[in-house]
Amino acid sequence: MQIIISNYSKEPIYEQIYTQVKKHILTNELQPGQSLPSMRQLAKDLDISVITTKRAYEELEKNGFIYSVVGKGSYVSEQNIEMIMERKMKVIEEQLMTAIQNSKEIGVELSELRELLTLLYKEEA
Amino acid sequence: MENIIELQGVNKSFNGFKLQDFTISVKRGFVTGFIGGNGVGKSTTIKLIMNLLQPDSGTVSIFGLDYKNHEKEIKQRIGFVFDENILYENVTLNEMKRIIKPAYKNWDDALFNQYVEKFELPLNKNIKNFSKGMMMKASLTIALSHHAELIIMDEPTSGLDPIFRRELLELLHELMQNGEKTIFFSTHITTDLDRIADYITFIHNGEHIFTKEYYKIEEEYAIVKGETNLLDRDTEREFIAIRKSNYGFEALTGNKQRTEEVFGDAAILEKPTLEDIMLYTKRGKDKYVESHS
Amino acid sequence: MLNLIRKDIALQKKTLIILLLPLFAYLFFGSSTIWIGVLFCIAIIMQGFSMDEKSSSNLLFNSLPYTRKEIVSSKYVGACVFTFLVLATIFMGNLIIHKEMIQLEQLLFTMSIVMLFISFAFPFSYLLNSQYLMIAFAVLFVLYFIIVNMFIPNLNDRIRELVQTALSFDNSLLYLIVVVSVLLIYIVSWMLSIRIYSKKVF
């Protein structure tokens, strides 16, 4: 897992950690049940204070991305991840539906739409 | 027990200087950076914590114990580093160790040797021939060799080169790994704190201004920059202190959110440094004193 | 507290060994054993005392798990230990060089003078600084002369008389009185020093 912290960003450091860990979880790079480094270890490795990593982990836990076991550490959550993925999929479906409806209105073909999607998808990456 | 150090309503007059109704606490398992200008009471506070001074009134409790009945027990669990060298100068580090070792029940020779090796300290050279950095390393070695739960340091990084300062911070990170230790240290090199401090305790003229989680400071405080015509009686009240020039103003707010609402896009809000906060707080207090006297 | 005494001895090891030479020289040339004893005891004890007077040493030992009571007490007990060491050395030295035993009374007398000196010097030094001791003694000396010359011209005679009467007592009773009063003064001084030191600010 890679986490890059910028000390000069406007975004607070704990938020940078939160966003990046969340991304790693949503892209399945961190898998459900996998253990995360301890708050103190992460703080040391990133050369930041413990309370910053603590805050990031608290936020991640509050939003259901991870859970912690007292005396053991933090792990990537299972059910909640699926729920989040499901929710996201639903949003994507809805948005695609709108795109499809708009396409139909002005007569854009499926192949054209697919091409456009591919193009945009690649650009975004 | 959450709080390792607790000063409650402490009053102390000392050398023409006063701590008034002074209350601070230091949380277990975290690093607290203790900041404030010169002569505002940092060293006095540390001396009160170490029982080198006794308060005129109020209570000092360490590990939940008071010095009156548990002095030795408390000091067994503290490791200390002062900014001046307090080791005998005409002895070697080895001899110094032999003097200090019997004072501590938990003294660990292996640990001592480990730090001596890590810091590349000479055991058989007179301490008076040590450089400032070596003296600091020697003090630190002694402070860390009895498994102290609480490490108190008064300006440990002053007079040290940037490389050793960074190494020291790395060492502190390592010490904090098991979560059992608490570190309380004063400094006026505030950039040291970015990387290690969990809490910041800020005092000014013997008064406790705040103790906050480090990240909360940037959530609450902001440097605001804008054109002078934005300022009037009402908006000026938003700020702790304001610096005006012909080209515009710069000010510190302690309520970032409200200031954002008041000024919107008309002003620029920036992340303040600890130095900004120290400077503007001092100015604000001085002005307050001026206008009320 | 024993650690603190052991520390004082360890730190003065070198000085002690160096002092051994002049000590034997004095003995060899037959100076008064009382005089040598008092001189060496006071020199060694006060050197040990002044070593810890710097504010940095006070910071160190007060930050270590020792109480102020222990720090002061270690100096008082340590002074007795040093006196014993010096007197034992003189006793042995005298035995070797002159093949004679020093009388117990002489040893007791030396001890009493040293303890009286310490009883004054320690609280004084805790209050001010041992550097001022010499000045204090000079002042006392001057005062003594002023008193002798101006107010009680026959003070010396009176003291002599007092000593004479004291000496006329039964010997063992006399020594008992002297030893007990010296001990009392020592203990009062000890308590006083603890009081002074507890209020000190570093």
Side-chain angles (χ1 to χ4, degrees):
Chain A
M1 179 177 66
Q2 303 276 304
I3 295 177
I4 314 293
I5 300 294
S6 162
N7 284 320
Y8 300 102
S9 160
K10 236 190 158 180
E11 198 185 1
I13 292 171
Y14 72 86
E15 233 174 88
Q16 296 180 35
I17 299 172
Y18 174 84
T19 322
Q20 291 180 50
V21 173
K22 185 175 125 185
K23 196 184 104 200
H24 290 314
I25 292 173
L26 290 179
T27 56
N28 248 358
E29 197 186 319
L30 285 173
Q31 277 158 10
Q34 200 176 333
S35 73
L36 289 161
S38 78
M39 285 179 325
R40 289 176 185 275
Q41 183 64 45
L42 186 65
K44 185 183 161 228
D45 293 343
L46 294 177
D47 200 7
I48 55 175
S49 62
V50 173
I51 202 123
T52 312
T53 50
K54 185 168 172 255
R55 172 82 190 266
Y57 276 30
E58 276 167 6
E59 295 280 313
L60 284 165
E61 197 173 341
K62 201 168 78 190
N63 292 320
F65 292 104
I66 64 170
Y67 65 94
S68 55
V69 180
V70 177
K72 279 197 151 176
S74 301
Y75 301 89
V76 177
S77 312
E78 310 222 14
Q79 310 103 318
N80 286 343
I81 299 285
E82 275 164 25
M83 259 168 60
I84 289 159
M85 294 291 267
E86 237 169 67
R87 223 182 293 140
K88 277 265 176 196
M89 279 310 283
K90 214 171 225 166
V91 174
I92 295 170
E93 251 172 52
E94 274 166 20
Q95 287 168 334
L96 282 179
M97 197 53 99
T98 331
I100 292 168
Q101 276 161 2
N102 282 330
S103 304
K104 280 187 174 163
E105 269 175 31
I106 54 164
V108 174
E109 295 286 322
L110 177 61
S111 58
E112 268 179 88
L113 188 63
R114 199 179 288 147
E115 242 169 67
L116 182 67
L117 184 67
T118 320
L119 194 74
L120 288 174
Y121 194 91
K122 278 180 184 159
E123 249 174 38
E124 177 63 29
Chain B
M1 175 192 35
E2 264 258 276
N3 291 333
I4 286 281
I5 300 176
E6 250 176 17
L7 269 65
Q8 286 266 335
V10 167
N11 288 290
K12 179 79 197 173
S13 301
F14 170 57
N15 278 354
F17 154 87
K18 255 186 201 162
L19 282 186
Q20 260 174 327
D21 195 23
F22 191 76
T23 299
I24 60 168
S25 56
V26 174
K27 292 218 160 43
R28 172 199 277 276
F30 291 103
V31 178
T32 298
F34 187 34
I35 62 168
N38 285 331
V40 299
K42 291 204 300 288
S43 287
T44 304
T45 307
I46 286 186
K47 283 178 175 172
L48 283 164
I49 292 169
M50 296 291 300
N51 200 32
L52 294 166
L53 285 177
Q54 284 79 38
D56 298 335
S57 64
T59 58
V60 175
S61 97
I62 316 290
F63 308 115
L65 305 169
D66 64 64
Y67 270 112
K68 209 166 177 200
N69 300 310
H70 304 278
E71 171 152 24
K72 292 173 82 166
E73 199 184 331
I74 294 171
K75 286 177 175 173
Q76 282 286 351
R77 296 157 72 182
I78 296 181
F80 53 88
V81 174
F82 291 101
D83 66 334
E84 60 178 311
N85 175 45
I86 56 166
L87 305 177
Y88 285 121
E89 297 199 326
N90 287 318
V91 301
T92 65
L93 183 55
N94 212 8
E95 289 168 315
M96 199 68 225
K97 181 200 87 177
R98 278 206 294 263
I99 288 171
I100 290 179
K101 175 183 169 177
Y104 290 113
K105 284 185 206 139
N106 290 331
W107 184 270
D108 185 340
D109 264 337
L111 198 57
F112 176 84
N113 290 331
Q114 199 183 310
Y115 283 118
V116 165
E117 212 162 286
K118 186 185 175 95
F119 295 147
E120 297 170 353
L121 287 167
L123 277 172
N124 296 311
K125 190 174 161 189
N126 264 2
I127 290 175
K128 72 167 171 237
N129 296 324
F130 278 21
S131 68
K132 170 108 189 168
M134 281 161 78
M135 291 220 192
M136 159 66 202
K137 288 176 187 175
S139 303
L140 195 62
T141 300
I142 286 171
L144 297 178
S145 294
H146 63 278
H147 300 281
E149 292 161 56
L150 170 61
I151 318 253
I152 294 175
M153 300 185 284
D154 192 5
E155 302 282 354
T157 54
S158 72
L160 295 181
D161 66 70
I163 295 168
F164 180 61
R165 290 216 320 265
R166 282 296 270 278
E167 283 170 358
L168 175 69
L169 296 183
E170 265 167 41
L171 178 73
L172 297 188
H173 268 303
E174 258 163 50
L175 288 176
M176 295 312 289
Q177 284 305 302
N178 65 10
E180 297 292 315
K181 287 189 171 16
T182 305
I183 297 178
F184 182 71
F185 77 106
S186 74
T187 181
H188 53 242
I189 305 173
T190 50
T191 47
D192 287 344
L193 296 169
D194 294 345
R195 295 170 187 281
I196 186 76
D198 297 309
Y199 290 88
I200 299 290
T201 292
F202 174 32
I203 69 169
H204 181 69
N205 279 348
E207 193 190 327
H208 177 226
I209 308 289
F210 64 67
T211 294
K212 282 184 200 299
E213 288 90 345
Y214 199 126
Y215 59 74
K216 276 218 175 120
I217 292 173
E218 54 187 69
E219 276 175 19
E220 290 173 13
Y221 288 83
I223 288 285
V224 184
K225 292 175 182 172
E227 291 177 13
T228 339
N229 60 23
L230 288 173
L231 296 175
D232 57 44
R233 256 180 174 282
D234 281 333
T235 52
E236 282 195 12
R237 229 178 278 150
E238 291 290 312
F239 301 118
I240 291 165
I242 307 170
R243 199 171 63 91
K244 289 179 210 168
S245 76
N246 290 335
Y247 309 104
F249 78 92
E250 198 182 304
L252 181 75
T253 172
N255 193 337
K256 187 178 166 187
Q257 225 182 343
R258 202 177 56 214
T259 309
E260 250 168 359
E261 282 161 19
V262 171
F263 289 100
D265 288 337
I268 301 172
L269 266 68
E270 285 179 350
K271 202 151 119 176
T273 62
L274 287 175
E275 280 170 30
D276 289 330
I277 293 173
M278 283 163 70
L279 177 76
Y280 280 98
T281 303
K282 180 184 179 300
R283 294 234 172 118
K285 294 269 170 195
D286 290 350
K287 207 177 108 199
Y288 185 81
V289 172
E290 248 170 55
S291 60
H292 285 75
S293 58
Chain C
M1 193 178 76
L2 282 177
N3 295 329
L4 288 169
I5 299 170
R6 214 179 304 151
K7 170 218 87 179
D8 277 347
I9 296 174
L11 280 175
Q12 282 187 279
K13 229 175 4 197
K14 278 181 212 149
T15 328
L16 287 178
I17 290 166
I18 293 167
L19 280 177
L20 222 54
L21 208 71
L23 188 101
F24 277 108
Y26 273 119
L27 279 179
F28 190 76
F29 293 113
S31 313
S32 137
T33 45
I34 292 178
W35 170 239
I36 302 172
V38 169
L39 190 75
F40 278 83
C41 284
I42 290 176
I44 291 167
I45 291 166
M46 288 318 289
Q47 202 225 344
F49 186 92
S50 65
M51 224 164 37
D52 284 340
E53 268 185 319
K54 271 195 284 177
S55 79
S56 56
S57 304
N58 280 316
L59 273 183
L60 174 64
F61 289 103
N62 280 284
S63 302
L64 289 172
Y66 295 119
T67 60
R68 293 196 178 199
K69 213 167 162 179
E70 285 175 321
I71 292 170
V72 172
S73 300
S74 78
K75 292 291 178 200
Y76 274 85
V77 176
C80 296
V81 173
F82 278 117
T83 309
F84 174 78
L85 284 177
V86 171
L87 292 185
T89 313
I90 291 176
F91 185 84
M92 294 304 287
N94 211 46
L95 197 66
I96 293 164
I97 295 170
H98 301 295
K99 308 260 180 299
E100 62 181 24
M101 300 254 259
I102 299 175
Q103 287 173 312
L104 185 68
E105 285 85 349
Q106 262 187 347
L107 291 178
L108 273 179
F109 190 66
T110 314
M111 231 174 71
S112 301
I113 295 177
V114 173
M115 284 173 87
L116 276 178
F117 175 86
I118 299 299
S119 302
F120 170 75
F122 275 9
F124 178 88
S125 305
Y126 277 124
L127 197 64
L128 300 165
N129 190 300
S130 66
Q131 283 173 335
Y132 299 115
L133 260 184
M134 290 303 286
I135 302 170
F137 273 103
V139 170
L140 277 183
F141 200 61
V142 170
L143 269 180
Y144 174 78
F145 267 98
I146 292 173
I147 291 170
V148 168
N149 290 328
M150 295 180 71
F151 302 105
I152 327 169
N154 60 347
L155 183 67
N156 275 330
D157 298 331
R158 284 197 200 177
I159 291 173
R160 214 167 291 137
E161 261 169 52
L162 199 75
V163 173
Q164 287 299 328
T165 12
L167 280 175
S168 65
F169 283 139
D170 175 32
N171 250 0
S172 55
L173 184 67
L174 172 73
Y175 280 113
L176 193 68
I177 291 168
V178 170
V179 167
V180 167
S181 39
V182 166
L183 269 180
L184 268 177
I185 292 170
Y186 199 69
I187 287 166
V188 169
S189 155
W190 188 339
M191 298 299 129
L192 184 66
S193 288
I194 289 176
R195 263 222 129 131
I196 295 169
Y197 192 69
S198 299
K199 292 199 175 114
K200 268 193 111 149
V201 162
F202 305 114

